Amino acid sequence: MGQPQQPIAAEKQILSLGRFLQKLREEDNVDVLIATAISYLQEQFSYQLIWIALYDRLNHVLLGKGGLSTDKDISFLQQRLVLNPGDLLEQVVIEQRPLGVADLRAEHRAPEWHELADKNHIQGTIILPIRHQDRCLGIVLLGSERWGYLLTGEARARLLIVMGELGALLYRHEINSQQQPTKYSSAEPLLKLLENVRELSNLDQKLAAVVTATHQFVFPSRTAVYWFERQGRYFWCRMSNQLVNMGRDSQAQASAPGITVQELSEFYYALAVNQIVWIGESRSSLNSNFTAKLLQRLKVRSLLAAPIICQKDLLGFIAVEANKPRIWTDADKNFVQGAAGLISLVAPIESVETTITQIQADAQLTNQVAQAVYGEHNINETLHSCATKVLERLAATRFLLLQFHPDQNYYQIFYQSQPYNRRPLNFALNPLTEIDTQLLQRTTEAIEIENLDTDLRFFHWRSLFLGSSINSFLVCNCTQGKVPTTLLIVTHEAHHSSTTPEKELLWAVSQQIGVMMRQWEMQSSHGEQQKILRASQQCLHNLTQIRTGEGHLERTALKEIASILGCPLALLLTWSPGQHQVTIVPGVMAHHRFEINMDASISVQTEVLIHWALARDGHVTFNVDDLPLETKRWLSFSGIGQIFVMALRTHIHDESTGVVLMATDYECQWSQQSLSSTETLIRQLAWFRRQTHITQLLDSTTVELQQLNWYKHRRLEELQRTTALLISQIHDVGIPHTELAKTRHQLLLRQLDQTTNSLTGLLKLEKWQLHMSWETMPISSLLKRSLEKIENFLKPKKLWIGVHGLGQEVDEPESLRSGDDSKHISNLGYQNSIAIAGDIIKIELVIHELLVAACQRSHRGGRIDIWCRRLDERTLDLSITDNGVIESQLLTELNQTIPKDILAPSTLNQPPGLHLHICQNIMQQMRGELHFYQLPDHRVVSRLLLLLAEN
């Protein structure tokens, strides 16, 4: 019986695998290893696409080493693939596990394989990692025309054995390569080059020697040194092995290639951070887009460039160029990098004298700025001197000092300097982004924006700067380590690259300016605080002077409040509770441009300014352009830019009776400190006005009640006296039996009835306030009735009373009445009697009060005179003189015009001063006057001016 076919086939596969593994172990060359692996995979597995790539851990890329494809063009299998997050190949490298794809043409995580998969009709694909000891060394990609990616168990086992052995061999080869010394070192040629350069004196000769040595070592198609021109931001070929000793203006330079930063910015920025740039066969340290553009610009296929750096500044670069694709070795890179470093050492020697001179000039400039900052000069003069020197030193166009205003949330140009043929900038700058703010806060040097079109930093300022022909600038935070509130910016109209000494100079100047600005801010803040303090003290002092009269309190307070904000216009829109029309109280109108229509009809319900103020528990500021047309009719805005309004009230729920309005021009900026102080003073004004109104109301009520109490008391005394007299007379008459007695009894009853009616009128008409009637009476009758009522005051002191000026001169015994001789009272007769007008009862009570006061202060046996004199057609002067003693303080307080202090002790708080003061108030209400004074002979005068009755 013959052997089955299956074991024979399996035995062949095992033997083939053994031979393959043996061949791998005997090979030292990596390329041969990979070629052997590709041959075995092609022979043992039916895949139409095979690709093997090695993994470069440092650059995180896959380097294609070849493979198998039905397509004749296999250059794609030699490609260099950069691994990006989310890619299918990166997943295999990171996870180090096989991965299958059902259809490679539709796999969105491997877009670079779509074109090749479409050409070769590749669908099912398996990707396996080449790994050893948890280290990924490469991958193997196997693609089939069939859909799906499953492998049988036996085939899968053989494939994993191949991957494991290949990984072990590649790992061993890598370790051996690291342990073996470099076959060809660049150290010896560099040392020899250093000896040659040391003997040369001219920089161009040294550059030529470096170019020659580099070209001989690397042996490219061309070797050149490119120099960086900062003003135009371009590289020009200063030295080349083909065109030796080239000058910037030489004819050879015109034909040599040059590179502008704007053309290839990524190449420039790589060199600026001291990175070597290399472009070889299917490999590059730059992005593929820039790689192609750079090779096309230089008309080469391979490039190796090393930057020439001196004091952090890019002076240029040395480049070796090849017309064919080339893989640059580590020795090539080391030599070119060493040559560039050698140039960076010898380059400054050429301009050492110029550098020393410039350093001395920079130090002198810094000292001058420091002296100006710490001197007693005006801040604008200091900044002007500083800006002139800085612009000249940096060959810049504009010098800008920005200051941040947190209230308005923008940067304002505090100071700027520019040539005479450039207009000043008149815009504010938006606040910085959080990233830019942190950048300025952390930095310790000037930040340079070489090309505003391509740099994303300070993006919020791009449109404004580009619109002002600013294409590059240097910016410094004047408050190092703190939030950038003050910024120094120096701008250029062209793309510009500054040197490190220039940046260091500007940084030193910015810190000096920062000190000056902080000092100026403290002085300004101190000055503003002093201004606010003075205005507040004066305003509060004026507010306490509540006896200054109607409207004067508001005008003086508004003047001081407006001085805090520097407003040339301040006024008060006021109204009484329940009133619908506004009264304008002007406070400050310091400029003719601010015009107010004082006679305008302003409604409390419809005026927008009032509604805006009442809606807020604080102030409101806005632009004059926001005002409606109705407001502009009474508020002229020809010179007004900003408006401040605030309601006068002590609490948001209290009734408001006014709105403070202040205005200024567009350029004025109010600080938060000034606004807060203004709010406080306006609330104080509201509180004082409220307290004043309440005090006036209570004062008025107290005066009315005092007058009413005095008046009722005196009337009741009179009525009580009259009633008692009538009742006594009725008792004396007894029961009438005769006609004469009946007549006398009826007369007394009528008088008693009149007295009762008078009491009824008093209770009804003058219940809570005085009622002023208008009557006429001869002054003789009024005096006669008044003299009869004081009989009980005259007799105890034996006082004499004389009446003068009523039409006859009465001799001594007849014109004088003694307190004990009442027979003359009824016999007093007057010719040509004068009639007065007013409330006769109240006038009679006032005269009675004056006579009682004269009697009370007179000495025993003293004399009281009553003088009547017509002053004009409408006024009668009735003066009462006595020889009594009166307090000087009482006389002073009875004649003072300023309202008395309610809380202060006063002689007017109790009789007789209280009663005399009430009499003064009552006479004022009847359009009369009452004055008290003392004659030189010490007689006391109570002068009463009464209205005469019309004929």
Side-chain angles (χ1 to χ4, degrees):
M1 180 178 292
Q3 293 292 333
Q5 182 68 29
Q6 181 66 25
I8 296 175
E11 183 180 354
K12 289 183 179 180
Q13 292 176 352
I14 293 174
L15 292 175
S16 177
L17 177 60
R19 289 192 298 268
F20 166 69
L21 295 178
Q22 182 64 30
K23 188 175 182 179
L24 285 181
R25 296 187 185 102
E26 295 174 354
E27 186 59 54
D28 292 333
N29 189 288
V30 175
D31 294 334
V32 176
L33 286 175
I34 293 175
T36 303
I38 293 173
S39 176
Y40 175 79
L41 294 175
Q42 180 183 6
E43 177 185 344
Q44 297 295 323
F45 302 94
S46 58
Y47 285 100
Q48 286 72 41
L49 175 62
I50 301 174
W51 183 58
I52 297 180
L54 298 181
Y55 176 54
D56 182 356
R57 292 185 304 277
L58 296 178
N59 298 310
H60 196 51
V61 296
L62 289 175
L63 306 175
K65 292 298 183 179
L68 174 66
S69 173
T70 58
D71 194 359
K72 295 182 180 180
D73 186 9
I74 61 172
S75 60
F76 186 79
L77 302 178
Q78 303 288 337
Q79 65 177 332
R80 172 183 178 270
L81 288 183
V82 178
L83 298 178
N84 298 314
D87 286 354
L88 191 65
L89 298 180
E90 189 197 45
Q91 182 179 348
V92 176
V93 170
I94 298 300
E95 297 180 358
Q96 298 186 25
R97 292 187 303 174
L99 189 64
V101 178
D103 189 351
L104 186 59
R105 299 174 299 180
E107 179 55 49
H108 66 279
R109 292 178 297 169
E112 64 274 4
W113 290 94
H114 288 174
E115 183 178 355
L116 183 63
D118 288 335
K119 288 183 179 181
N120 295 277
H121 309 289
I122 301 301
Q123 297 189 59
T125 304
I126 298 176
I127 307 172
L128 301 99
I130 304 174
R131 56 185 297 272
H132 183 75
Q133 295 183 357
D134 295 331
R135 184 187 232 177
C136 183
L137 302 170
I139 66 167
V140 174
L141 185 145
L142 304 175
S144 174
E145 294 180 355
R146 293 171 298 177
W147 189 88
Y149 51 84
L150 292 177
L151 277 175
T152 63
E154 181 271 336
R156 178 183 178 86
R158 286 189 291 121
L159 188 57
L160 292 178
I161 292 173
V162 172
M163 293 296 101
E165 188 66 23
L166 184 59
L169 294 174
L170 291 176
Y171 178 76
R172 187 182 64 185
H173 183 273
E174 182 177 337
I175 295 300
N176 294 335
S177 299
Q178 293 176 357
Q179 294 177 351
Q180 293 178 359
T182 305
K183 293 182 180 180
Y184 185 67
S185 176
S186 59
E188 185 177 350
L190 282 175
L191 290 175
K192 185 177 180 181
L193 175 60
L194 180 60
E195 291 293 334
N196 295 336
V197 169
R198 186 183 301 173
E199 298 175 356
L200 301 175
S201 58
N202 185 274
L203 178 60
D204 288 333
Q205 295 176 356
K206 295 177 181 181
L207 293 179
V210 172
V211 168
T212 302
T214 304
H215 191 77
Q216 291 175 354
F217 183 87
V218 182
F219 205 71
S221 301
R222 182 176 61 193
T223 303
V225 173
Y226 289 85
W227 218 247
F228 182 53
E229 185 64 31
R230 296 187 174 277
Q231 192 64 31
R233 296 182 80 241
Y234 67 90
F235 294 97
W236 57 281
C237 185
R238 180 166 183 174
M239 188 67 61
S240 172
N241 68 306
Q242 297 178 355
L243 302 171
V244 181
N245 198 14
M246 299 172 59
R248 191 184 312 180
D249 302 325
S250 65
Q251 296 180 355
Q253 169 60 22
S255 61
I259 304 173
T260 64
V261 173
Q262 191 171 2
E263 285 180 313
L264 300 170
S265 58
E266 183 174 337
F267 175 66
Y268 165 73
Y269 290 120
L271 296 175
V273 296
N274 200 16
Q275 289 183 0
I276 187 171
V277 176
W278 52 269
I279 303 173
E281 185 176 0
S282 302
R283 301 176 65 185
S284 173
S285 62
L286 299 177
N287 185 282
S288 58
N289 294 332
F290 283 97
T291 298
K293 187 183 294 186
L294 180 59
L295 294 178
Q296 183 180 4
R297 180 68 182 85
L298 297 177
K299 298 178 182 180
V300 295
R301 298 290 299 277
S302 301
L303 174 68
L304 178 59
I308 303 172
I309 303 290
C310 181
Q311 296 181 351
K312 300 181 182 179
D313 292 329
L314 180 64
L315 301 181
F317 66 93
I318 181 172
V320 290
E321 307 162 0
N323 295 329
K324 296 180 180 181
R326 177 170 171 174
I327 298 177
W328 304 107
T329 64
D330 291 340
D332 296 336
K333 297 176 183 178
N334 292 336
F335 190 92
V336 173
Q337 200 167 15
L342 181 59
I343 296 175
S344 66
L345 293 176
V346 300
I349 299 176
E350 181 186 32
S351 57
V352 63
E353 294 183 359
T354 305
T355 304
I356 294 174
T357 303
Q358 191 62 66
I359 291 174
Q360 293 174 347
D362 292 347
Q364 183 179 4
L365 172 59
T366 306
N367 291 334
Q368 290 175 352
V369 172
Q371 292 174 2
V373 167
Y374 292 103
E376 298 296 332
H377 303 286
N378 180 276
I379 186 171
N380 287 326
E381 295 178 358
T382 302
L383 290 174
H384 175 72
S385 175
C386 177
T388 303
K389 295 180 174 65
V390 170
L391 291 179
E392 181 181 0
R393 169 65 178 88
L394 302 182
T397 307
R398 295 182 184 272
F399 179 98
L400 304 175
L401 186 62
L402 307 183
Q403 197 169 31
F404 184 70
H405 290 267
D407 301 335
Q408 289 78 24
N409 195 30
Y410 61 72
Y411 281 95
Q412 186 181 21
I413 299 177
F414 180 83
Y415 178 83
Q416 58 179 317
S417 179
Q418 59 282 324
Y420 293 108
N421 58 350
R422 300 292 189 275
R423 293 182 179 180
L425 304 181
N426 57 357
F427 51 74
L429 295 172
N430 295 326
L432 296 170
T433 63
E434 184 178 357
I435 296 177
D436 292 335
T437 301
Q438 293 177 356
L439 175 63
L440 286 170
Q441 189 171 354
R442 291 194 304 263
T443 187
T444 57
E445 60 182 8
I447 299 175
E448 183 174 23
I449 305 299
E450 299 182 9
N451 186 355
L452 194 57
D453 289 319
T454 59
D455 204 317
L456 297 180
R457 293 175 296 177
F458 306 98
F459 185 80
H460 287 179
W461 298 351
R462 176 182 292 182
S463 58
L464 290 175
F465 277 6
L466 291 178
S468 302
S469 301
I470 297 175
N471 289 286
S472 64
F473 61 89
L474 285 167
V475 56
C476 296
N477 179 13
C478 298
T479 55
Q480 178 184 349
K482 299 181 181 179
V483 177
T485 56
T486 305
L487 298 178
L488 175 61
I489 298 179
V490 173
T491 71
H492 295 82
E493 293 186 349
H495 300 158
H496 186 272
S497 177
S498 301
T499 63
T500 298
E502 292 175 341
K503 297 177 184 177
E504 293 175 350
L505 170 65
L506 187 63
W507 177 259
V509 171
S510 70
Q511 300 312 297
Q512 297 287 358
I513 292 178
V515 173
M516 178 182 64
M517 290 300 296
R518 285 193 294 272
Q519 182 180 357
W520 177 81
E521 288 173 357
M522 288 189 293
Q523 291 176 350
S524 300
S525 177
H526 178 72
E528 184 179 11
Q529 290 175 356
Q530 292 295 321
K531 174 183 174 183
I532 292 174
L533 178 61
R534 287 193 298 269
S536 301
Q537 289 175 339
Q538 186 63 38
C539 182
L540 294 176
H541 173 74
N542 293 335
L543 289 176
T544 58
Q545 308 304 309
I546 58 176
R547 298 180 289 274
T548 53
E550 185 73 23
H552 182 69
L553 169 68
E554 288 82 359
R555 285 191 292 271
T556 54
L558 285 175
K559 180 179 179 181
E560 301 301 333
I561 293 173
S563 67
I564 295 178
L565 296 181
C567 291
L569 173 64
L571 51 89
L572 176 64
L573 306 178
T574 184
W575 61 89
S576 300
Q579 190 177 8
H580 300 295
Q581 292 298 317
V582 172
T583 301
I584 301 177
V585 178
V588 178
M589 296 183 67
H591 204 286
H592 66 278
R593 295 182 302 170
F594 302 138
E595 298 179 1
I596 306 297
N597 184 4
M598 305 296 294
D599 300 327
S601 177
I602 306 173
S603 173
V604 178
Q605 287 76 19
T606 60
E607 176 53 52
V608 174
L609 285 178
I610 297 177
H611 280 273
W612 287 347
L614 296 180
R616 292 283 298 275
D617 185 21
H619 74 277
V620 184
T621 58
F622 48 87
N623 195 286
V624 70
D625 299 330
D626 300 330
L627 293 179
L629 182 60
E630 291 75 12
T631 303
K632 294 178 181 179
R633 290 173 179 169
W634 64 269
L635 179 61
S636 175
F637 60 93
S638 60
I640 298 175
Q642 299 180 80
I643 295 179
F644 172 103
V645 293
M646 182 175 174
L648 273 180
R649 59 187 169 199
T650 56
H651 192 271
I652 191 171
H653 300 297
D654 290 343
E655 185 71 21
S656 177
T657 58
V659 170
V660 174
L661 183 149
M662 292 185 287
T664 184
D665 52 22
Y666 285 96
E667 288 75 17
C668 184
Q669 298 294 334
W670 293 320
S671 66
Q672 189 60 44
Q673 186 179 19
S674 299
L675 292 173
S676 299
S677 302
T678 302
E679 278 194 5
T680 301
L681 292 180
I682 290 177
R683 286 193 174 93
Q684 286 296 111
L685 174 60
W687 186 87
F688 273 104
R689 289 183 84 244
R690 179 181 175 86
Q691 294 302 115
T692 301
H693 291 163
I694 292 175
T695 303
Q696 290 175 350
L697 178 62
L698 296 178
D699 272 351
S700 176
T701 304
T702 302
V703 169
E704 289 183 3
L705 293 177
Q706 287 176 342
Q707 293 174 358
L708 183 63
N709 182 68
W710 171 85
Y711 168 66
K712 286 186 175 182
H713 188 74
R714 291 290 185 257
R715 284 292 307 276
L716 290 175
E717 285 180 347
E718 174 64 20
L719 292 173
Q720 188 272 339
R721 188 187 67 82
T722 304
T723 303
L725 179 62
L726 290 174
I727 292 175
S728 175
Q729 292 177 353
I730 290 174
H731 284 296
D732 293 341
V733 172
I735 299 175
H737 296 286
T738 63
E739 291 296 327
L740 180 61
K742 289 181 180 180
T743 303
R744 178 66 176 166
H745 188 266
Q746 290 294 327
L747 179 62
L748 292 174
L749 289 177
R750 280 198 301 270
Q751 291 178 351
L752 183 61
D753 186 54
Q754 290 175 356
T755 302
T756 304
N757 292 336
S758 176
L759 181 61
T760 302
L762 173 67
L763 296 176
K764 287 184 178 180
L765 296 179
E766 299 178 305
K767 186 176 183 180
W768 288 110
Q769 61 183 4
L770 295 177
H771 175 74
M772 295 296 178
S773 61
W774 194 259
E775 306 165 310
T776 61
M777 177 179 281
I779 187 63
S780 58
S781 300
L782 185 61
L783 289 176
K784 183 177 180 181
R785 289 167 51 176
S786 299
L787 292 175
E788 290 176 352
K789 295 177 182 179
I790 63 170
E791 189 67 27
N792 58 334
F793 291 98
L794 299 176
K795 289 181 179 181
K797 290 187 176 183
K798 298 184 180 296
L799 299 176
W800 293 81
I801 291 183
V803 180
H804 314 276
L806 290 181
Q808 68 175 6
E809 293 295 334
V810 185
D811 293 332
E812 181 64 18
E814 299 178 347
S815 63
L816 293 177
R817 297 195 303 110
S818 172
D820 57 356
D821 189 9
S822 60
K823 64 181 181 179
H824 296 290
I825 297 175
S826 59
N827 295 330
L828 278 176
Y830 303 99
Q831 300 178 358
N832 190 22
S833 181
I834 303 172
I836 61 172
D839 193 321
I840 299 302
I841 294 177
K842 293 179 177 61
I843 295 175
E844 182 181 348
L845 291 176
V846 169
I847 295 176
H848 175 262
E849 189 71 36
L850 298 178
L851 291 173
V852 170
C855 292
Q856 289 178 341
R857 63 176 168 261
S858 296
H859 300 289
R860 183 180 181 83
R863 173 171 175 163
I864 299 174
D865 293 294
I866 301 175
W867 306 86
C868 297
R869 182 168 63 94
R870 183 194 295 266
L871 293 181
D872 51 38
E873 296 296 327
R874 295 290 299 154
T875 308
L876 174 68
D877 181 356
L878 177 65
S879 298
I880 301 174
T881 61
D882 63 86
N883 293 315
V885 178
I886 189 172
E887 296 182 22
S888 59
Q889 183 179 357
L890 176 60
L891 276 179
T892 302
E893 292 183 357
L894 285 173
N895 290 284
Q896 66 183 8
T897 57
I898 300 176
K900 68 183 184 69
D901 186 357
I902 298 177
L903 300 180
S906 173
T907 58
L908 303 183
N909 292 336
Q910 61 276 336
L914 175 63
H915 295 166
L916 296 178
H917 186 57
I918 291 173
C919 292
Q920 284 181 321
N921 294 333
I922 290 177
M923 293 309 303
Q924 288 180 358
Q925 295 178 35
M926 290 188 293
R927 294 181 292 175
E929 297 180 19
L930 176 59
H931 303 285
F932 301 92
Y933 56 92
Q934 204 166 16
L935 295 174
D937 59 0
H938 303 294
R939 283 186 297 168
V940 179
V941 179
S942 302
R943 187 185 185 193
L944 190 65
L945 300 181
L946 302 173
L947 294 179
L948 292 173
E950 296 181 357
N951 295 328

